[in-house]
Amino acid sequence: MLFCHITSQVSTDPYQKLLSEKGGRGFPHLVFMDAEGTVLASPADRTVASFMKTNTELKRIADLQGKTDPASVTALVFAKLDMGMMKAADAKEKLSGMTLTPAQVATLESAMIDDEVNAARANVRTRDEMLAVGDTYLEMKAKGRVPTGKSAPMFWGTIATTAESKKDVALFEECVTQMKKIAAADPRYARSVEAMETRLKSMKDPKGAPPEKQAKRLNGG
Amino acid sequence: MKSTKWALVALVLAVSSPFIAAQAPAAPAQRAAPSQDDLIAKRDAKLKVPFLNRKDVTWFTDYDKAREEAKKTGKLLFAYFTRSYAK
């Protein structure tokens, strides 16, 4: 069922704070909700494919709910994990004692790393705080805890900022290489790579750096 | 399922249209607060946009009615949040 909510600022219109209540921070905002109005999931992006994938996954989750056989329970947990409806730690707990395939173990571990990456970046407001997160990510990297999932762009982008701050060209180059791999699989990151390459050029040749205003624009600042 | 797919296609087209795209979050404007009459007129204009008035797709704009219908039919709600107060 399709529901369109209009924030009108008309004083007599009800539910004028519904957007923020449902997790929205800007317009447009798209979510799937149950009949009670509980948010179930949000499409990853504004494409038909993304809408259909989310819709299909939610239907699959609905079909799996209530089933008690191990295969269904496991499938439900992984479906919820994929949709962001369950934290990796909770999934791990639910799956303890279950027999998992090597691929499922890898997916769970990847989700644990994603959650760790996201938790470190939560509530970061200042540049100094972000640079500190970059150091945290470098510690994760040293321990081999490198995300390959949804948080990978944020992970490498944040480390790149820290590398730039430390004038560590080699580390920044590594970030560019990783972002190129991400962009090869997801073209939405092509512009990020382009901006990072400009920053790298500036790091290697500060004299040839673009004027500050242009650099800020390229860096999204 | 087919009708859902076409509804989603319609939504994506609507979301991608210049009319809707123009409503991306903007920097807070320094201007006088609009009157309630202005806001009502803008809301009413928004309710008349083509994608909300297609004959082959039903859009609920009343949250209570949408939830009531979802309960009755056992379906999920796909919610699109937009605004009418901006220019």
Side-chain angles (χ1 to χ4, degrees):
Chain A
M1 283 189 41
L2 300 170
F3 165 58
C4 177
H5 179 268
I6 301 172
T7 302
S8 64
Q9 294 188 348
V10 172
S11 59
T12 51
D13 281 359
Y15 302 113
Q16 284 299 292
K17 291 184 178 170
L18 199 62
L19 171 76
S20 58
E21 285 169 15
K22 301 304 172 192
R25 286 184 285 180
F27 300 98
H29 183 64
L30 306 162
V31 291
F32 285 90
M33 300 192 292
D34 66 16
E36 301 296 329
T38 303
V39 173
L40 301 173
S42 185
D45 53 54
R46 274 178 264 153
T47 61
V48 171
S50 182
F51 290 128
M52 294 311 292
K53 181 180 182 290
T54 310
N55 193 38
T56 303
E57 279 299 298
L58 285 172
K59 282 185 79 171
R60 198 164 80 90
I61 286 168
D63 290 344
L64 289 167
Q65 297 273 20
K67 292 187 178 172
T68 54
D69 61 290
S72 296
V73 171
T74 304
L76 179 62
V77 169
F78 278 104
K80 283 187 170 180
L81 193 61
D82 185 48
M83 297 292 286
M85 295 164 70
M86 184 180 271
K87 294 270 183 201
D90 295 334
K92 199 170 184 175
E93 196 182 319
K94 286 247 178 201
L95 294 170
S96 66
M98 300 277 196
T99 304
L100 302 179
T101 65
Q104 287 172 329
V105 171
T107 300
L108 193 54
E109 180 55 22
S110 174
M112 292 290 287
I113 294 174
D114 277 338
D115 279 5
E116 194 176 336
V117 170
N118 291 328
R121 264 295 290 265
N123 303 318
V124 167
R125 292 284 178 270
T126 67
R127 182 177 164 77
D128 284 347
E129 285 172 349
M130 191 158 85
L131 294 177
V133 173
D135 287 332
T136 303
Y137 288 172
L138 283 171
E139 285 168 23
M140 288 178 67
K141 181 173 171 284
K143 290 177 189 165
R145 295 185 65 72
V146 175
T148 52
K150 292 171 187 169
S151 70
M154 184 167 73
F155 182 83
W156 291 109
T158 305
I159 291 180
T161 301
T162 299
E164 191 175 20
S165 159
K166 293 178 177 176
K167 302 189 190 324
D168 187 337
V169 175
L171 179 58
F172 196 97
E173 269 186 315
E174 186 185 351
C175 295
V176 174
T177 302
Q178 294 298 334
M179 283 299 282
K180 277 182 180 171
K181 285 182 192 168
I182 292 166
D186 187 343
R188 288 179 301 168
Y189 293 99
R191 286 190 67 185
S192 301
V193 170
E194 197 182 313
M196 286 174 80
E197 282 179 326
T198 303
R199 287 159 68 189
L200 180 61
K201 204 174 168 186
S202 300
M203 286 172 76
K204 285 181 173 175
D205 179 17
K207 287 178 187 172
E212 192 182 350
K213 203 173 177 182
Q214 192 187 347
K216 271 188 181 172
R217 185 178 59 79
L218 288 168
N219 295 339
Chain B
M1 187 67 186
K2 198 178 175 186
S3 65
T4 305
K5 184 175 179 180
W6 282 112
L8 292 173
V9 171
L11 176 68
V12 172
L13 289 173
V15 168
S16 304
S17 76
F19 181 81
I20 303 296
Q23 296 182 48
Q30 300 289 326
R31 66 170 82 98
S35 68
Q36 283 294 304
D37 285 346
D38 283 345
L39 292 170
I40 289 168
K42 283 179 177 174
R43 179 205 59 198
D44 291 348
K46 184 79 174 192
L47 286 167
K48 287 179 185 163
V49 296
F51 87 88
L52 282 178
N53 294 284
R54 288 169 59 112
K55 286 181 180 166
D56 55 341
V57 176
T58 302
W59 278 91
F60 287 83
T61 53
D62 181 314
Y63 186 44
D64 291 327
K65 282 184 184 166
R67 284 182 298 171
E68 196 182 310
E69 190 65 19
K71 276 178 200 167
K72 262 191 224 167
T73 58
K75 289 183 177 176
L76 297 178
L77 289 168
F78 182 74
Y80 166 50
F81 290 84
T82 185
R83 62 179 168 173
S84 61
Y85 59 85
K87 257 191 177 179

